[in-house]
Amino acid sequence: MAQTVIIDSISDYNALVGMETRHPLVTVIDPEASRPMPFEGEVTYDYRVYALFLKQTYCGDITYGRQPYDYQEGTVTSFAPGQVVRVSLKPGLRSHVPGLLFHPDLIHGTSLGRNIGRYSFFDYSSREALHLSDEEKGIFKSCLRAISSELDRPIDRHSRQLICRNIELLLDYCLRFYDRQFITRHDANSDVLTRFELELNRYFSDNRAQREGLPTVKYFAERCFLSPNYFGDLVKKETGRSPQELIQSKIIDLAKDELMGTDKPISEIAYTLGFQYSQHFNRYFKRGVGKTPSEYRKAEA
C-alpha cells in the first residue's frame, strides 16, 4: 500500500531529510547536507507548499493526475500547494535531489506574491517537466546557492524581501528555459496544434456542442494529454493567440456561416453552437464582431 506524505510545513520537511530549519518558511535542499526521504516503493506526496526539484538521475516514475511526468536526467519538476503527486521509486533507490521549498505565507505582500500567477509551470502536469542544458543546470544551482546564502544570515527586516527576490529570479530563469524548450520542441508542438485544430472541428461536426455546451480550454488540453496551463502557454507561444481566442474565432466563423448561409432562427443557431440562451450568443457575437447576429445578417444580406 502506498504511503502518503503530507508536506505542509518547512520544518516538517527538514525533519524528514535531516536538515536544519534556517527559516520557518523556506528551505534549500542540499544533497550533501541532507539524507534521502526515508521512503521506498509507492509514495504519494500531498504538497501544501511550493516546490522545485532538479532531478539529476532517473529514480522512478512520477505521476501527477493521469499522466506521467516527462523527466529523465537534468529536469526540473515543480509543484504548487494543493497538488498530489504519486512517486514509484526504483527498488533500492531513494530520491535525493537539490531543490527549493517555500511556504505560501512567505510571499504574501511581496512582488513574488503579486506575480506568482506568471509562473504557470507550477500547474504543468504531464509530459511537461523542464529539461535543462548543462549551462542551465549551473544557473539553477547558482540561484539556489544565492537563496541558501541569504538563509545563512541572521533574519532581519530585509531577509524576507531579499529571499523572495532571489526566488523570483530563479522562477524567471525557469520561464526563460521553458521558452527555449517550447522553441526546441517545435515539431512536437506542431503536433499538438494539429490535434487541437482537429478536435476543435470535431467538437462541432459531431454536434457535441449541442449536448455539452460551449467547448473549454480544459477539454482540448485533456485530449492533447496536457495540463490547461501548459497547453495554453504552448498554443500562445506557437500562434500568438490563446486557446480561448482561437475557440472564440472558430465559434464566430461558424456563426457567420450559419447566419449568411441559412435561414435558421438565431435561437437555433445559438443552440447548435453550444449556447444555452440566445441572449448569451447575442452578447458573445457582438463582442467579437461589433454587431449583433441580427445586425450582421441584415448588413451582409
Side-chain angles (χ1 to χ4, degrees):
M1 183 176 178
Q3 303 173 80
T4 298
V5 181
I6 298 175
I7 302 175
D8 59 357
S9 74
I10 298 303
S11 59
D12 285 350
Y13 181 88
N14 285 339
L16 280 174
V17 298
M19 291 200 313
E20 174 191 359
T21 297
R22 294 178 288 168
H23 191 289
L25 297 177
V26 59
T27 190
V28 174
I29 307 161
D30 179 1
E32 301 301 322
S34 61
R35 62 172 179 259
M37 279 279 202
F39 309 109
E40 295 182 352
E42 296 281 341
V43 184
T44 297
Y45 294 100
D46 181 352
Y47 286 94
R48 311 289 173 83
V49 299
Y50 291 95
L52 295 94
F53 302 101
L54 176 57
K55 301 287 184 179
Q56 301 187 93
T57 58
Y58 179 72
C59 59
D61 297 325
I62 299 177
T63 305
Y64 172 52
R66 294 178 297 171
Q67 298 293 323
Y69 250 109
D70 171 24
Y71 92 95
Q72 294 290 330
E73 179 181 353
T75 60
V76 175
T77 55
S78 52
F79 308 107
Q83 291 183 339
V84 178
V85 182
R86 187 173 69 255
V87 180
S88 179
L89 296 173
K90 293 169 64 177
L93 180 64
R94 290 182 291 175
S95 178
H96 196 207
V97 297
L100 169 73
L101 285 85
F102 61 96
H103 196 280
D105 288 350
L106 175 74
I107 66 177
H108 291 323
T110 68
S111 171
L112 177 56
R114 292 188 293 273
N115 294 322
I116 195 67
R118 293 180 58 229
Y119 308 109
S120 52
F121 52 79
F122 275 114
D123 289 321
Y124 292 174
S125 59
S126 60
R127 301 196 298 156
E128 301 160 357
L130 175 57
H131 300 253
L132 301 186
S133 67
D134 288 341
E135 179 184 5
E136 290 167 347
K137 283 185 279 187
I139 293 172
F140 188 95
K141 292 178 180 179
S142 176
C143 289
L144 291 183
R145 286 194 294 271
I147 299 167
S148 183
S149 177
E150 186 60 38
L151 295 180
D152 283 335
R153 299 176 59 87
I155 295 178
D156 58 30
R157 65 188 183 92
H158 302 287
S159 299
R160 183 161 166 263
Q161 196 75 341
L162 289 170
I163 291 168
C164 287
R165 285 179 183 172
N166 277 292
I167 294 174
E168 199 165 6
L169 177 62
L170 172 61
L171 301 183
D172 283 341
Y173 271 117
C174 288
L175 282 180
R176 169 184 279 182
F177 301 155
Y178 259 116
D179 282 348
R180 184 269 309 154
Q181 183 164 296
F182 280 124
I183 293 171
T184 56
R185 292 187 167 191
H186 175 73
D187 290 344
N189 295 347
S190 296
D191 290 343
V192 171
L193 293 178
T194 299
R195 179 69 180 271
F196 177 31
E197 183 178 2
L198 176 65
E199 293 290 345
L200 183 56
N201 290 334
R202 182 179 295 162
Y203 193 90
F204 293 99
S205 65
D206 289 351
N207 298 320
R208 186 178 293 272
Q210 296 181 38
R211 301 190 301 272
E212 301 183 18
L214 293 173
T216 64
V217 173
K218 182 175 182 290
Y219 173 88
F220 297 112
E222 287 178 347
R223 271 142 190 82
C224 294
F225 304 103
L226 299 171
S227 66
N229 274 16
Y230 188 92
F231 176 73
D233 290 347
L234 184 155
V235 172
K236 183 77 171 180
K237 296 291 183 186
E238 291 291 322
T239 69
R241 303 171 72 188
S242 70
Q244 191 58 53
E245 289 172 327
L246 294 173
I247 292 170
Q248 181 179 11
S249 179
K250 177 68 174 180
I251 293 171
I252 294 295
D253 286 345
L254 289 173
K256 288 179 177 178
D257 288 343
E258 290 291 302
L259 288 167
M260 300 310 301
T262 74
D263 295 324
K264 292 178 183 178
I266 290 173
S267 59
E268 183 179 344
I269 294 173
Y271 174 71
T272 61
L273 293 175
F275 293 89
Q276 188 174 2
Y277 304 105
S278 59
Q279 298 94 322
H280 182 197
F281 171 60
N282 290 340
R283 291 193 296 269
Y284 189 97
F285 190 89
K286 187 169 184 178
R287 282 199 304 269
V289 179
K291 301 175 183 178
T292 66
S294 296
E295 290 169 344
Y296 179 84
R297 179 175 261 174
K298 290 176 182 177
E300 300 295 326

